[in-house]
Amino acid sequence: MGHKVQVYIYDLSQGLARSLGPAIIGRPLDGIWHTSVVVYGREYYFGGAGIESCSPGGTMLGQPLKVEELGDTEIPPEVFNEYLMTHSQDRFKGDKYDLMRHNCNIFSSETAMFLTGNGIPQYILDLPNEVLSTPLGQMLAPMLQQLTPQGESIPFTMGNALERTGW
């Protein structure tokens, strides 16, 4: 029997993007998206501290705006744990985080693809390029990069990964 995989979708602007969107890209934005993957009873996400996990809905963002079902996975938790450990030491190490180009949404999409063969909704992945393709977006890009979360990457070790995921 498979394990359910979901993407949690949060609006970092808390609705403000809808009114600011016309000034930035010439149309309303539905949100400034942060995503995470929920599987095996844990929520996994990527930021300036690397790959982290918590109880579903347990981030500082609270409950997600939307939850989308991505399908079921037959990947055993141990294999997923190995995937996280490997990626936390390189591709998704905290110092590799880039708000516009290598962020939580890239992590969520690749992780969902690994687990189910399905990525996260494309409109979420397209938003940074949509913003950066506007004159104001290009002007704001250096300032937006300053908003990148800072932190030490805490790579998964076998003990930490098992402890963090509750296995």
Side-chain angles (χ1 to χ4, degrees):
M1 183 171 123
H3 297 273
K4 181 170 61 168
V5 180
Q6 301 171 308
V7 61
Y8 275 25
I9 304 170
Y10 299 89
D11 176 11
L12 295 176
S13 78
Q14 308 256 331
L16 193 59
R18 195 169 279 293
S19 58
L20 292 179
I24 297 174
I25 65 167
R27 70 168 183 78
L29 291 171
D30 291 329
I32 305 295
W33 306 119
H34 167 76
T35 59
S36 59
V37 172
V38 176
V39 64
Y40 311 116
R42 299 291 292 173
E43 180 173 354
Y44 298 90
Y45 55 95
F46 172 62
I51 298 172
E52 297 186 77
S53 76
C54 63
S55 298
T59 70
M60 62 185 259
L61 300 172
Q63 292 302 306
L65 180 66
K66 298 182 212 173
V67 174
E68 293 203 14
E69 303 291 330
L70 297 175
D72 291 336
T73 187
E74 299 297 328
I75 304 283
E78 298 78 20
V79 172
F80 181 60
N81 188 46
E82 188 175 314
Y83 170 89
L84 292 174
M85 286 188 300
T86 300
H87 283 77
S88 72
Q89 294 169 12
D90 183 36
R91 181 149 169 73
F92 292 106
K93 195 173 177 181
D95 62 1
K96 301 277 176 94
Y97 185 89
D98 180 302
L99 183 66
M100 301 303 272
R101 293 180 180 83
H102 190 71
N103 55 37
C104 58
N105 302 321
I106 301 298
F107 168 77
S108 293
S109 192
E110 289 184 16
T111 300
M113 225 23 159
F114 172 77
L115 289 167
T116 68
N118 299 313
I120 67 171
Q122 191 63 42
Y123 71 91
I124 294 172
L125 296 171
D126 290 343
L127 183 62
N129 286 334
E130 194 174 344
V131 170
L132 291 175
S133 70
T134 67
L136 186 56
Q138 290 174 9
M139 189 172 72
L140 292 174
M143 182 182 76
L144 293 173
Q145 284 305 109
Q146 296 303 312
L147 300 175
T148 300
Q150 298 300 311
E152 295 293 315
S153 178
I154 304 169
F156 279 92
T157 63
M158 187 57 83
N160 270 347
L162 295 176
E163 185 177 301
R164 285 181 175 201
T165 57
W167 299 319

